[in-house]
Amino acid sequence: MPRRAKGPRLYFDPKRKQWAIRDGAHFIRTGCGERDSAAAEKYLAQYIAHKHKPEASGAPMIADMLAVYGDEVAPGMKSARLIGYNISNLLKWWGDKTAAQITMRTCKEFAATRPPQAAAADLKILKAATAYWHKSEYGPLNFQPVFWRPKANPPKDRSLTIREAARLLKAAKPYLHLRRMILLGLHTGSRPGVILALRWDQIDLKAGVMRRLQSGALQDAKKRAPPVRLGRKILGHLRRWKRLDGDIPFVCHFEGRAVEDPHGAWRKVIKAAGLPGVTRHTLRHTRATWMAQRGVPLFEAAGFLGMTTKTLESVYAHHHPDWQDRAANI
């Protein structure tokens, strides 16, 4: 009996040094180079979504469920690009399976092929796609899939010291976009995605204010991104960068182009700096820790970072110099 095709998936063409989509015996060029894997993932998601119109079924192929979710739900979500990446990951393992094969055992087998946090994110999208199919005109399913996801990792409390931050900046010297991202992360505490998407029209160099969101962008209820006042040092950097950039619209750019996911260069910088375990989110955590260590009031720090005071207090309050001071001296 012939094996069932795995469905469309990404393939790196070593000759052309480009990502392509492998769909059975067909290869579709994406035009994305080796460093543009994020763009290739997005291209794959679009390809899957528009390849064909899945038909209603009570026992669909998982590839069809993901295609419908990627076409009808993901485009209206702020995390559409990440969902495309999740769908691509899922298709590599689940693409030749049916919804009836979603069990605790198969979920655990899939999770064993991915880092726990990544597997949990992928399986969350699989569950959402299954639920959407079941409730929409494509369903209902004639059985109840059973899901399992790895437990979430505990919150990371890794932050950088001043010396470690200097080492990180030194290691990032060959990468202009990463050096700028690091400095902005340490000085503003903004999320990495916000910094990488930052455009020059979001920065008022005269007033010294940076708008974390682009004009017309909707505020995420869970991940607030209020404007932030820029300190003297980072404002000096920004003014110098602007003079160098001229008409380039992006602040953290690679040869004038936007940078979506510099994971390859980031790994090289972390290795060169000798800072294993440090992620891009560590920069935000570091800023929050430094403010707590210097006694910045929680309300003021929370407004600066776009966090709730509850989150700031539960995660960072123990760094404050006066933490439990009154209780200890009664």
Side-chain angles (χ1 to χ4, degrees):
M1 183 177 178
R3 295 178 62 185
R4 190 189 297 271
K6 290 188 175 181
R9 58 197 183 280
L10 284 179
Y11 164 80
F12 184 71
D13 187 338
K15 292 184 178 180
R16 292 189 173 88
K17 302 293 183 184
Q18 288 185 343
W19 289 101
I21 294 174
R22 184 174 182 176
D23 188 1
H26 302 285
F27 288 84
I28 300 92
R29 298 182 192 176
T30 65
C32 302
E34 185 174 4
R35 294 185 176 182
D36 297 329
S37 59
E41 300 282 2
K42 186 176 181 180
Y43 192 102
L44 174 63
Q46 293 172 343
Y47 174 82
I48 293 169
H50 295 95
K51 183 183 176 184
H52 71 287
K53 185 71 173 177
E55 296 180 357
S57 170
M61 294 293 296
I62 291 176
D64 283 348
M65 294 196 307
L66 293 172
V68 167
Y69 190 79
D71 187 33
E72 299 184 6
V73 180
M77 301 177 70
K78 192 175 181 179
S79 55
R81 183 178 67 83
L82 292 177
I83 292 174
Y85 179 73
N86 295 133
I87 289 175
S88 177
N89 291 333
L90 290 164
L91 284 170
K92 294 172 187 175
W93 201 88
W94 296 93
D96 60 346
K97 297 176 175 59
T98 67
Q101 292 174 274
I102 301 175
T103 65
M104 289 184 66
R105 180 178 60 81
T106 53
C107 287
K108 289 179 179 179
E109 288 175 355
F110 168 74
T113 68
R114 304 270 290 146
Q117 195 167 355
D122 292 340
L123 288 168
K124 180 181 179 180
I125 296 302
L126 178 60
K127 185 175 183 179
T130 304
Y132 181 77
W133 182 282
H134 179 66
K135 295 177 181 178
S136 69
E137 68 272 17
Y138 299 97
L141 297 174
N142 53 24
F143 51 86
Q144 181 64 47
V146 180
F147 289 88
W148 175 90
R149 279 193 288 164
K151 291 182 179 180
N153 293 332
K156 296 181 179 179
D157 58 0
R158 177 73 162 95
S159 63
L160 300 173
T161 64
I162 296 295
R163 289 187 177 182
E164 287 176 331
R167 278 164 46 197
L168 186 62
L169 283 167
K170 183 178 180 181
K173 193 173 182 180
Y175 305 94
L176 172 69
H177 56 297
L178 283 189
R179 187 174 173 83
R180 291 186 178 186
M181 185 193 77
I182 292 167
L183 283 167
L184 283 165
L186 293 174
H187 282 275
T188 71
S190 301
R191 294 180 177 84
V194 168
I195 297 174
L196 290 174
L198 193 64
R199 302 173 68 97
W200 280 112
D201 58 13
Q202 293 172 243
I203 300 174
D204 188 333
L205 294 173
K206 291 184 178 180
V209 174
M210 182 182 90
R211 289 185 292 107
R212 289 186 169 107
L213 293 179
Q214 297 178 20
S215 297
L218 296 176
Q219 180 84 261
D220 190 314
K222 294 183 178 180
K223 296 183 177 181
R224 297 182 299 172
V228 60
R229 180 163 294 282
L230 300 167
R232 177 177 50 82
K233 290 184 180 180
I234 191 61
L235 196 54
H237 284 300
L238 285 164
R239 286 169 176 158
R240 178 170 55 84
W241 298 344
K242 180 57 180 172
R243 288 195 297 269
L244 293 172
D245 286 358
D247 295 331
I248 295 174
F250 306 102
V251 179
C252 298
H253 61 86
F254 180 78
E255 297 179 352
R257 303 192 305 273
V259 179
E260 289 189 348
D261 191 2
H263 55 277
W266 180 261
R267 284 197 298 267
K268 293 178 182 177
V269 169
I270 293 303
K271 184 177 180 180
L275 295 170
V278 169
T279 68
R280 284 169 283 172
H281 191 75
T282 302
L283 304 175
R284 177 171 168 82
H285 185 84
T286 298
R287 179 66 189 186
T289 302
W290 285 357
M291 287 195 293
Q293 289 172 340
R294 285 160 179 75
V296 176
L298 292 180
F299 179 79
E300 182 180 339
F304 183 89
L305 293 166
M307 289 184 184
T308 64
T309 53
K310 181 180 179 181
T311 298
L312 195 67
E313 186 173 13
S314 63
V315 180
Y316 303 100
H318 64 282
H319 292 294
H320 196 285
D322 297 331
W323 183 64
Q324 293 188 351
D325 185 61
R326 290 173 57 191
N329 287 290
I330 290 177

